[in-house]
Amino acid sequence: MSSWFRQMLVGKSEIREFSTVGVGDVVGEKVYLQTEDQLLDVTSNQWMLGLEPLTFGIWIEEGKDRQALADKKKYVIYFRRDEPSSPEVVARGAVAIAELKYFNRIEDSRGTLFLLQVVHSSIHHVSGVKARLIYERFYKKPNVSFDKLKAVATAYSYPRRVRVISFQEGADYNYIFPMDLLGDIKQSGRYLLGMRHSNTVLKKIVDVRKIVVSEFPAEYKPAIYKLGRNHSASPPLVAELPFGVQATKDFGFFVPEWVESYKEVRILKTMDLGSHMLMFGEWPEDRVLKPSTPRLHHIHFLHFLQQKRRGQAYPLV
């Protein structure tokens, strides 16, 4: 590709599927869910939990909203840079929009987790022509259609935080690896994890029904990314890890010495989402070890490109 054409498409940005950025406790983007007659701000209660098909989890606590959503046939989710001036204009200025269909739900005494799958999506980070050109040149693969690119770009138009997962098998081995298809429901003490069926440790986690999820500073991206292979390979001995570890209070699972906090999660329910398994759990206490700093998040490259053009980009990590 000639340099001028590349410059026209993406400027000087390094092209990749996802951009890794550091984000503090406050995320700038807003997310709204619309049914036939409702518009709900679900910014802090929406998570991506499966990829094939792409599945969102929406947590609802209000009784009237729980029943209303269960009765609907059509759902639309909007990803925005800010709050709309009125519900009527929520689509105007949205960077990504997806039509969803109801898949299933988990009923809990503290709320309902609605599982909705993407039927169709549209993205507006760049012009339609530019999006198609970027896809044809950089993203087109046998298993990646333009529709799939749009769906993934939609989901990652909101920063997805990366956490450290710890699971122990015996006294000597400890699985430690990163995940971003997960989320904590802080107000209800519940936790959601969408793990690939191909992950060799999944069955062991489901059998034991325990897992630890830790928060870590974005600066430790290199260390945690090196552990990504623990999804599918035998884990290293604890003594072979390139950093020190500490045992969690109740489970005794090892977490890196540099994590800022951790949650010991007991798995209550599981559900097959296609390519991923949903694990729905509870955690009684957030063990805080250090003050929080900007954490590592994934956003789609097209979302980063738009932010950069507007001078609103999160710092790259």
Side-chain angles (χ1 to χ4, degrees), residues 3-75:
S3 59
W4 71 266
F5 189 58
R6 179 189 176 96
Q7 180 75 15
M8 181 271 292
L9 285 180
V10 300
K12 297 181 180 180
S13 300
E14 182 181 354
I15 299 169
R16 55 185 64 204
E17 186 173 7
F18 302 107
S19 296
T20 53
V21 296
V23 184
D25 291 331
V26 178
V27 175
E29 291 84 348
K30 302 286 288 183
V31 185
Y32 295 87
L33 181 68
Q34 185 176 52
T35 63
E36 289 97 327
D37 54 3
Q38 279 183 299
L39 183 68
L40 301 176
D41 182 344
V42 296
T43 304
S44 59
N45 290 318
Q46 53 79 33
W47 304 273
M48 185 175 59
L49 300 172
L51 289 175
E52 297 174 9
L54 203 151
T55 305
F56 287 102
I58 308 290
W59 178 255
I60 302 293
E61 293 186 356
E62 289 290 336
K64 59 182 178 65
D65 292 336
R66 291 166 71 174
Q67 186 57 46
L69 258 67
D71 293 340
K72 300 306 179 185
K73 304 294 184 182
K74 182 180 179 182
Y75 308 82

Side-chain angles (χ1 to χ4, degrees), residues 8 26 47 66 78-79 97 101 136 139-140 222 260-261:
M8 181 271 292
V26 178
W47 304 273
R66 291 166 71 174
Y78 300 90
F79 292 83
I97 303 171
K101 67 177 181 180
E136 293 288 342
Y139 296 122
K140 189 174 184 179
E260 296 174 341
S261 64

Side-chain angles (χ1 to χ4, degrees), residues 212-223:
V212 174
V213 187
S214 302
E215 306 283 358
F216 67 97
E219 64 186 275
Y220 286 95
K221 169 188 168 181

